[in-house]
Amino acid sequence: MKKSIFAIVVTVLAMIFVGCVNNADNFEKAVINNLANRSNLEVTASEAVKEIVSINAGTTKEIKITGNLSTTDITNLKNAISSCAGYVSLDFSNATFPSNQVPYLAFFHGSQSSQSQLVGVTLPDTITEIGYGAFAYTSLKSVTIPEGVTKIDNWAFARTNITSIIIPDAVTVIGEYGFLYCYSLQSAVIGKNVSLLGYRCFRDCTSLTDVSFGGTVAQWNSVVKNSYYNYNVPATTITCSDGTATF
């Protein structure tokens, strides 16, 4: 009888031990998974600032930001990016900008002699205007302009590293110097309702060889093109919906 009771006790203790080990393993896996998925979590602007300043040199981190942004939030993000050791990509898909506009000099870091560490941005669908110098002199490589944007203001993407751009049909104005010095820009799709190309808006886009327009040749010819809009651009023609025209 004593041996039977002893055997039962040993068995129960063994089961408890195995259960604890399994729970510990599961807990460890959960912690690891949580850390691995941390970059997929949405954070507030103030939390994002802390994430940005902690990025190590030579690394790139994507941060998803949620909530209603204030101009102060945007300024704090810009300042954090300017002092960041690594590179950052910001996803604002579930955030709201003031007045649904990317504001004046939003992410321009204050110097025309260098570029900030911002390499990617995803804007919310609610954006209607990209303000003056909003992303100028950043290291931006990719951006999707929301379909509801009607204006790309002066200097908006000047001296960025974007390689291609699609300008939606809702856009009517591309401001002065809008894509100035975008040396890496290779292709551009211009929406059919653009009616004004600002002064030097594509100046020195020295890799731009592929340009298309969503409207007809007649529509393209009616677009107001300010001086030097295509200065030092290798593309000489533009593909329209019904043929080719001079770019």
Side-chain angles (χ1 to χ4, degrees), residues 121-134:
V121 66
T122 301
L123 296 172
D125 293 337
T126 51
I127 292 293
T128 59
E129 183 175 324
I130 299 176
Y132 182 105

Side-chain angles (χ1 to χ4, degrees), residues 105-127:
L105 298 179
F107 294 98
F108 171 63
H109 72 133
S111 171
Q112 294 186 11
S113 61
S114 62
Q115 294 170 287
S116 77
Q117 308 295 71
L118 180 65
V119 295
V121 66
T122 301
L123 296 172
D125 293 337
T126 51
I127 292 293

Side-chain angles (χ1 to χ4, degrees), residues 88-218:
V88 62
S89 178
L90 298 179
D91 184 345
F92 293 104
S93 297
N94 293 324
T96 302
F97 279 74
S99 302
N100 292 325
Q101 298 177 359
V102 183
Y104 175 88
L105 298 179
F107 294 98
F108 171 63
H109 72 133
S111 171
Q112 294 186 11
S113 61
S114 62
Q115 294 170 287
S116 77
Q117 308 295 71
L118 180 65
V119 295
V121 66
T122 301
L123 296 172
D125 293 337
T126 51
I127 292 293
T128 59
E129 183 175 324
I130 299 176
Y132 182 105
F135 297 103
Y137 290 84
T138 65
S139 298
L140 196 65
K141 295 179 180 179
S142 64
V143 62
T144 299
I145 299 176
E147 293 294 329
V149 170
T150 60
K151 182 180 180 181
I152 298 172
D153 209 346
N154 302 349
W155 295 89
F157 294 100
R159 191 59 177 91
T160 56
N161 297 336
I162 55 174
T163 57
S164 64
I165 194 71
I166 298 176
I167 297 167
D169 286 340
V171 173
T172 59
V173 174
I174 300 175
E176 297 178 0
Y177 307 105
F179 295 92
L180 174 77
Y181 301 149
C182 289
Y183 301 119
S184 299
L185 183 62
Q186 299 173 25
S187 66
V189 177
I190 300 173
K192 64 182 180 181
N193 291 312
V194 167
S195 60
L196 173 65
L197 295 179
Y199 178 72
R200 297 186 176 185
C201 63
F202 286 106
R203 177 185 169 171
D204 284 320
C205 292
T206 52
S207 299
L208 183 56
T209 57
D210 181 10
V211 188
S212 61
F213 177 66
T216 63
V217 170

